[in-house]
Amino acid sequence: MLVKVKDGKVTGVQGNPDHPFTQGRLCAKTNHYQERVYHPERVLYPMRRKGPKGAGQFERIGWDEALETVSARLRATIARSGPHAILPYSYLGTQGLVNGLTVGDPFFNKLGATVSERTFCDSGACTGYIMTVGPTPGMDPESFQHSRLIILWACNMLSTNAHMWPFVEKAQRNGAKLIVIDPVRTRGAQQADQHIRIRPGTDAALALAMMHVIVNEGLTDADYVEKYTTGFDELQAHVQQYTPEFAAEVTGVDAEVIRVLAREYATVQPSAIRIGVGIERSAGGGQLVRAVTSLPALVGAWRKPGGGILQLPLWAFPINWDGLHRADFIPEGTPVVNQWQLGRALTHDLGLQTPIETLFVYNSNPLVVAPDQARLVEGLSREDLFTVVSEHFVTDTARYADILLPATTQVEQADLMFSWGHFYLTLNQPSVAPIGEAVSNAELFRRLARAMGFDDPFFYRDDEQIMRESMVWDHPALQGISMEGLRATGYARLNLPAPDSYAPHAEGGFPTPSGKVELKASMAAGGNFVLPVFRQGYAGLQDGGPVDALPTFRPRHETGATDAALAASYPLSMMSPKGHAFLNSNYGNMRRQLAHQGPQYVMIHPADAAVRGIAHEDVVTVRNGRGSFKAQARVTEDAMAGVVVAPLGFWVAGSIAGATPAALNPTAFADLGRAPTFSDNLVEVVPG
Ligand SMILES: Nc1nc2c(c(=O)[nH]1)N[C@H]1C(S)=C(S)[C@@H](COP(=O)(O)OP(=O)(O)OC[C@H]3O[C@@H](n4cnc5c(=O)[nH]c(N)nc54)[C@H](O)[C@@H]3O)O[C@H]1N2
Ligand SMILES: Nc1nc2c(c(=O)[nH]1)N[C@H]1C(S)=C(S)[C@@H](COP(=O)(O)OP(=O)(O)OC[C@H]3O[C@@H](n4cnc5c(=O)[nH]c(N)nc54)[C@H](O)[C@@H]3O)O[C@H]1N2
Ligand SMILES: [Mo]
């Protein structure tokens, strides 16, 4: 992103036209970033709560007083109850290596605070993917232009990953078939040659039935399977039970459509699959990703550029995670609280030996993004809980802060950015000085370290030093890339072959224990695990339950087949995927993006609306046993019959009845990586 500055002020932002991936484009969220930077409601000074919790009333204080108050509280908590009574809570408000996911980990690990396990986003999919093909970058997103058949499988690309779209569109223009597998008629589905509507959380049945067809009709690439996979014979026997007819029953996709899909996927090469994160979010989400990730090897799709699967380009970046997390600071026996269970942790429902007394939130807005909203409100309202929040705005969560700290935005801070969406490393250079008394997250933790009297110089590294120590610079992927070079160009493509010739697994070479695609996963023997990256590098297992070695279909937790009584009371499935103009809960308070999204809404199919007497734009209540929220009904065939869609990102403060979809979302985990299950959620919708 290029920033226009006049007289020390940001006047506009634009995409960099020279950038091979973004090609000069920004998205609906960031197009007018200056409006966020200079928003009149931005938090610019440290503040102390002056009204009741949740009221959002604050008074300005100085940084010295803020730091003294916070450090005194941390010390007092440790003295009274020990460090486990402190819980940090953070996620991806900003994503760089300096200020992002890991910025506070060394500080809290040094304190001995409870470890916050961050499995919000892709933990289940990453686990399933890595068990199958290892942490390989997989396909280059740019090489999709060479694909002949593309499946966007639970990926809302035009809204969430828009910069990749031109490469998909180019392939389509060159004759590739574009297939979207999604319960929702997304923007991408509208552009696709085929949209396969599937019931949420049932995709494993589809993928396994595709395998059934592929192996029984002799459509495998036998040579590739023989040389570069393990467990094929067992898989072949295993998938006999997953007939297209079985899958049709479960998924709602016609058996003949499944047969044709399998045949085309196998024979039109190179074929490419892009999976999103929505795919992991039901009871069997992890095994479902295992099944989908197995497909390319069966048909030899990896042989050519434009073939294979893309999960997360993240795996291409040689990041020094150990140096960022500093798990070596974590004292043995430190408890772990999964972020998904914050509501339970704060309301003494997790059986924690040491209840949480001090909560420190930065880079995150749990009241909107975590489930169990009612319990979260109850927990955050506890008079004996002390909450610190570092933010740009008085978010729903920040309203409960005892101390609120001002954070800089991306144009005011330096950072080194890896990517979830492409193979370029980017140096984010500040364009303007911090506004008001805002500080970057990295500076915040330097100040806190000083206030706590830490003497290890590690805590006082400047941004540049953090960048230098955050990557493994002698790794082949960074050959030819340096901080000096980045300062001149802003970004650099990782040292990988050009997209035209990039076929990383044409001859196997998968980073799994066997070096092959593990159709039968050897890592399953270790039981369910959470990758260190999602648990601050902390090694201990929390839930080592058994895991199937072959990809299997598992019904949702919440479906008629699993719980008939529940399904009778709550017959509709609800999903809460990303909003087009929001970035998770970011921009949920901003005029332009709100105008784009419209009022808080829920999409419902005309047939489901009709039987409930619901008309387009009526206000309705969506409810289940966990809670309820009100929204405007959008009666549309974009929603699938039986499935309602309530996008993430609207704020509680601006909501119709003081609640958002998080009030209904379950706290249950998926099968792998302790992923959330918000596509596995039964509800009812009623007028009014
Ligand atoms: N505009 C916008 N862009 C974003 C974000 C945002 O909030 N807004 N968030 C960013 C973040 S943090 C992430 S992780 C990425 C996520 O990017 P995506 O993975 O694209 O995100 P989602 O919208 O969660 O899910 C994608 C699609 O999966 C579908 N889906 C849900 N459950 C199922 C299922 O069981 N089966 C199938 N087949 N489909 C299913 C949904 O209908 C949705 O269309 O986007 C990033 N980009
Ligand atoms: N129902 C439902 N829930 C979901 C999802 C879903 O699809 N549906 N998606 C899940 C996923 S994939 C993700 S990634 C998570 C996202 O969860 P979060 O990362 O918690 O979500 P954001 O809304 O991005 O919240 C980040 C907050 O950080 C603040 N922030 C931004 N930059 C900075 C900074 O530099 N410093 C500080 N201190 N604060 C900053 C923003 O103002 C914002 O309020 O949500 C998860 N929850
Ligand atoms: Mo995410």
Side-chain angles (χ1 to χ4, degrees):
M1 183 165 90
L2 302 176
V3 180
K4 284 179 259 180
V5 178
K6 197 167 171 230
D7 301 331
K9 216 178 148 172
V10 178
T11 55
V13 293
Q14 66 179 75
N16 181 350
D18 298 331
H19 196 289
F21 195 71
T22 65
Q23 302 176 22
R25 279 179 298 266
L26 294 178
C27 62
K29 294 150 281 179
T30 56
N31 246 324
H32 301 272
Y33 194 72
Q34 70 277 11
E35 292 173 5
R36 183 174 181 91
V37 178
Y38 299 107
H39 198 286
E41 287 161 15
R42 230 188 104 182
V43 176
L44 295 177
Y45 305 96
M47 311 230 257
R48 176 176 49 211
R49 175 169 67 87
K50 69 169 188 209
K53 292 202 176 203
Q57 292 158 0
F58 297 97
E59 62 192 355
R60 182 174 166 182
I61 55 174
W63 263 107
D64 287 347
E65 185 182 347
L67 290 166
E68 265 166 42
T69 310
V70 174
S71 57
R73 173 71 191 202
L74 292 171
R75 282 199 192 91
T77 305
I78 294 169
R80 187 174 47 240
S81 309
H84 299 169
I86 300 167
L87 180 68
Y89 196 95
S90 69
Y91 210 58
L92 282 169
T94 182
Q95 313 213 340
L97 291 167
V98 177
N99 297 300
L101 191 65
T102 53
V103 54
D105 294 356
F107 176 82
F108 289 106
N109 290 346
K110 190 78 183 174
L111 285 184
T114 289
V115 167
S116 187
E117 184 178 67
R118 296 178 290 228
T119 58
F120 260 168
C121 176
D122 241 14
S123 166
C126 290
T127 304
Y129 178 85
I130 286 174
M131 283 171 74
T132 314
V133 293
T136 167
M139 283 186 72
D140 183 338
E142 290 173 64
S143 72
F144 272 65
Q145 59 190 299
H146 304 299
S147 308
R148 303 290 303 152
L149 181 138
I150 296 176
I151 302 180
L152 302 184
W153 204 320
C155 179
N156 186 8
M157 191 176 282
L158 271 165
S159 292
T160 59
N161 195 198
H163 291 125
M164 191 175 154
W165 182 257
F167 301 97
V168 170
E169 208 179 22
K170 189 166 171 200
Q172 205 186 10
R173 268 203 311 276
N174 291 337
K177 181 169 185 182
L178 175 63
I179 301 169
V180 168
I181 303 178
D182 200 303
V184 182
R185 187 164 65 192
T186 58
R187 285 161 198 255
Q190 290 167 32
Q191 306 289 319
D193 299 291
Q194 186 182 10
H195 176 200
I196 297 177
R197 291 198 122 156
I198 185 164
R199 292 191 190 114
T202 66
D203 307 60
L206 174 62
L208 290 159
M210 285 172 72
M211 291 185 196
H212 176 102
V213 175
I214 289 167
V215 302
N216 290 343
E217 296 190 5
L219 300 175
T220 54
D221 179 334
D223 179 57
Y224 197 91
V225 167
E226 160 78 26
K227 285 190 183 134
Y228 308 125
T229 70
T230 67
F232 177 73
D233 292 344
E234 280 159 277
L235 181 75
Q236 186 167 23
H238 171 71
V239 298
Q240 293 312 315
Q241 60 188 304
Y242 300 112
T243 61
E245 283 67 26
F246 165 82
E249 186 75 22
V250 171
T251 60
V253 181
D254 192 80
E256 197 48 31
V257 170
I258 298 175
R259 285 201 174 81
V260 173
L261 173 68
R263 289 174 195 139
E264 286 185 347
Y265 172 73
T267 56
V268 182
Q269 292 298 332
S271 59
I273 299 175
R274 165 62 153 152
I275 55 171
V277 305
I279 203 165
E280 70 176 10
R281 291 169 173 179
S282 45
Q287 288 290 345
L288 139 58
V289 172
R290 286 256 305 122
V292 175
T293 308
S294 301
L295 286 168
L298 292 180
V299 301
W302 289 110
R303 286 188 188 275
K304 292 191 194 135
I309 185 166
L310 172 63
Q311 193 244 347
L312 265 194
L314 168 64
W315 309 119
F317 293 81
I319 296 168
N320 174 17
W321 290 112
D322 290 346
L324 289 167
H325 293 297
R326 293 307 301 262
D328 55 311
F329 289 156
I330 303 176
E332 207 166 314
T334 300
V336 175
V337 168
N338 189 287
Q339 294 204 302
W340 201 238
Q341 301 190 322
L342 182 65
R344 294 184 57 190
L346 295 183
T347 52
H348 311 302
D349 185 46
L350 266 191
L352 294 174
Q353 227 166 15
T354 313
I356 305 304
E357 295 173 21
T358 298
L359 175 71
F360 195 113
V361 183
Y362 59 99
N363 267 348
S364 189
N365 185 6
L367 212 45
V368 178
V369 301
D372 231 2
Q373 199 168 61
R375 241 188 309 200
L376 264 174
V377 167
E378 185 190 329
L380 289 168
S381 305
R382 264 173 48 198
E383 282 306 326
D384 63 334
L385 180 74
F386 187 85
T387 302
V388 184
V389 178
S390 158
E391 254 301 344
H392 293 161
F393 291 103
V394 182
T395 59
D396 292 326
T397 306
R399 295 174 81 85
Y400 291 85
D402 292 283
I403 294 285
L404 180 55
L405 302 171
T408 46
T409 66
Q410 203 69 0
V411 295
E412 301 153 64
Q413 66 198 23
D415 219 323
L416 187 62
M417 321 290 294
F418 63 93
S419 174
W420 306 95
H422 55 65
F423 286 168
Y424 296 80
L425 181 65
T426 306
L427 179 65
N428 179 79
Q429 292 168 300
S431 318
V432 292
I435 298 171
E437 291 182 4
V439 301
S440 69
N441 293 333
E443 175 59 17
L444 170 63
F445 284 104
R446 284 189 285 264
R447 291 186 183 187
L448 282 167
R450 205 163 290 121
M452 293 303 289
F454 287 2
D455 48 19
D456 185 341
F458 178 83
F459 293 99
Y460 303 104
R461 298 172 308 157
D462 64 18
D463 294 347
E464 166 96 18
Q465 207 177 342
I466 298 175
M467 289 182 205
R468 289 190 185 280
E469 292 171 16
S470 65
M471 307 230 27
V472 185
W473 291 96
D474 57 4
H475 189 280
L478 290 181
Q479 221 187 334
I481 303 176
S482 66
M483 287 294 298
E484 290 65 32
L486 285 171
R487 246 190 294 279
T489 55
Y491 64 88
R493 182 178 161 88
L494 295 177
N495 180 37
L496 298 169
D500 296 352
S501 56
Y502 185 66
H505 303 301
E507 293 173 25
F510 292 90
T512 54
S514 62
K516 299 180 177 187
V517 174
E518 299 205 350
L519 303 171
K520 184 175 180 191
S522 61
M523 291 169 88
N528 195 1
F529 61 94
V530 170
L531 291 162
V533 61
F534 298 111
R535 47 166 36 208
Q536 298 187 28
Y538 197 30
L541 288 179
Q542 200 188 32
D543 167 17
V547 173
D548 289 323
L550 290 167
T552 30
F553 165 72
R554 172 172 170 184
R556 284 177 291 163
H557 294 133
E558 301 195 3
T559 178
T562 319
D563 190 339
L566 186 74
S569 308
Y570 303 109
L572 299 169
S573 290
M574 184 181 87
M575 302 195 307
S576 47
K578 314 297 186 194
H580 180 77
F582 299 147
L583 180 57
N584 300 314
S585 75
N586 284 269
Y587 304 99
N589 59 330
M590 294 188 55
R591 185 185 48 82
R592 184 184 298 273
Q593 283 80 3
L594 277 171
H596 190 289
Q597 287 285 148
Q600 185 183 10
Y601 68 89
V602 59
M603 287 157 58
I604 182 166
H605 188 271
D608 294 326
V611 296
R612 291 170 175 78
I614 292 166
H616 189 56
E617 298 193 344
D618 279 358
V619 170
V620 294
T621 299
V622 186
R623 57 175 163 79
N624 64 15
R626 291 177 284 265
S628 69
F629 67 92
K630 281 187 193 289
Q632 196 182 66
R634 284 200 188 164
V635 178
T636 167
E637 289 186 0
D638 290 351
M640 181 178 177
V643 183
V644 297
V645 184
L648 172 74
F650 289 103
W651 285 21
V652 175
S655 67
I656 300 173
T660 68
L664 277 63
N665 277 336
T667 53
F669 294 125
D671 55 342
L672 294 182
R674 278 196 287 287
T677 53
F678 32 68
S679 287
D680 188 342
N681 187 2
L682 286 177
V683 304
E684 179 57 298
V685 181
V686 296

